[in-house]
Amino acid sequence: MELGTPIAEGNTAKIYLVENRVVKVFKGHLPDTEAANEARKQKYAHSCGLSVPEIFDVTEVNGKQAIMMEYINGKTMGEILFENKEQAEYYMSISVGIQHQIHSKVTDSLEPMSEKLSRQIKAAPGLSNNQRSALLKRLETLSIDNRLCHGDFHLYNLIKTNNKVMIIDWVDASVGDMCADICRTYLLYSQFSAELADMYLHLSCKKRGLSQADIFQWAPIIAGARLSETVISEKAERLIEIVKHHFPR
């Protein structure tokens, strides 16, 4: 298959547009099950009635695992917000409403978030044995719900078309507590803009009747788990400081 030039590239895959379909080609270092797992999560989200691109096929392209899916023609909400900064709260409010729709889906069809976080914390570099143990014990004490959670929810994973907003990139989806999912989104925003992160947190708590304490109780766990991810934009020192604030040694 002739792919041409990628239209986007992430940590795990390159994205191509071929015959009005998106072809997501995964990088070679990933497990052989990566494409199938992501496709399964996205298909499930689509089956819940959420605005999610349709999966057409899980295949192999030029020796690499790949997913073929519906192409969504539009701009990301992140691009739109930064072109219209005076309307930031309006667009952020839309995104909070979409995340609320995701969290309204109750299921046991995907991996439990608690298992995912536990696995990540155990593999995270930069933590002391005491910190790792303390994080795992804290995780055991928190109530674990069974709500669908996107796992990487932010404005750049929302594409606005003419009449709706589509939710993309479901690779990190799991079933768990919405407060943990909100905390992760807050953590993602706060690495770039404290103002946007605080706006998001305020709108999320107001929408759901939650307190900031409900969200921040997850902060050391989410930060510790994120240390296991290879993300160029994230500073490990910042995440370790969040963990140290709760568990100094």
Side-chain angles (χ1 to χ4, degrees):
M1 178 184 291
E2 291 295 327
L3 296 173
T5 303
I7 61 172
E9 181 174 357
N11 292 318
T12 61
K14 293 182 179 181
I15 311 297
Y16 300 86
L17 181 59
V18 181
E19 298 177 354
N20 207 38
R21 290 188 175 189
V22 165
V23 181
K24 184 171 185 175
V25 181
F26 290 79
K27 297 180 180 179
H29 67 278
L30 296 167
D32 293 340
T33 56
E34 192 74 12
N37 284 339
E38 180 171 341
R40 179 175 59 86
K41 293 176 180 182
Q42 189 162 321
K43 284 181 178 179
Y44 180 77
H46 187 274
S47 75
C48 289
L50 296 168
S51 296
V52 176
E54 182 179 356
I55 298 288
F56 297 128
D57 194 16
V58 179
T59 185
E60 189 173 285
V61 175
N62 302 334
K64 295 181 179 179
Q65 56 185 321
I67 301 173
M68 297 183 68
M69 69 183 85
E70 177 185 5
Y71 171 59
I72 307 301
N73 186 15
K75 287 185 174 181
T76 68
M77 293 282 282
E79 292 170 317
I80 294 170
L81 184 149
F82 280 98
E83 291 171 0
N84 303 272
K85 291 183 179 179
E86 72 282 356
Q87 293 184 286
E89 186 168 344
Y90 169 74
Y91 290 111
M92 188 64 80
S93 182
I94 291 174
S95 76
V96 166
I98 292 169
Q99 192 176 30
H100 183 60
Q101 291 176 9
I102 298 172
H103 293 158
S104 72
K105 309 301 179 183
V106 177
T107 179
D108 59 0
S109 297
L110 300 182
E111 178 185 23
M113 181 190 290
S114 57
E115 293 182 10
K116 181 174 184 285
L117 291 173
S118 177
R119 183 175 67 252
Q120 289 178 310
I121 290 168
K122 289 174 182 176
L127 298 175
S128 69
N129 289 335
N130 286 342
Q131 287 169 333
R132 201 182 313 277
S133 177
L135 288 174
L136 293 172
K137 287 179 181 177
R138 168 73 68 87
L139 179 59
E140 290 177 0
T141 68
L142 293 175
S143 62
I144 301 297
D145 207 344
N146 58 342
R147 296 183 181 275
L148 179 61
C149 295
H150 182 276
D152 194 28
F153 188 87
H154 53 76
L155 292 164
Y156 285 94
N157 276 336
L158 300 173
I159 300 179
K160 189 178 186 306
T161 65
N162 289 332
N163 56 1
K164 58 184 174 181
V165 178
M166 303 292 283
I167 315 159
I168 63 170
D169 200 358
W170 287 84
V171 64
D172 292 310
S174 63
V175 176
D177 194 307
M178 65 178 177
C179 291
D181 204 35
I182 294 169
C183 186
R184 179 174 166 89
T185 299
Y186 174 84
L187 197 67
L188 296 176
Y189 285 142
S190 65
Q191 66 183 311
F192 300 113
S193 169
E195 183 180 359
L196 278 181
D198 290 342
M199 179 189 296
Y200 163 77
L201 183 63
H202 170 74
L203 291 169
S204 293
C205 288
K206 183 178 179 181
K207 179 79 173 178
R208 296 165 173 84
L210 298 168
S211 70
Q212 292 191 10
D214 293 327
I215 309 304
F216 286 140
Q217 66 179 335
W218 286 94
I221 292 170
I222 300 300
R226 187 159 166 75
L227 282 166
S228 69
E229 304 171 26
T230 305
V231 183
I232 296 174
S233 63
E234 181 64 270
K235 294 181 179 179
E237 295 81 6
R238 182 180 85 105
L239 299 173
I240 291 172
E241 283 304 313
I242 294 171
V243 174
K244 281 184 175 180
H245 179 73
H246 297 264
F247 306 110
R249 294 184 297 174

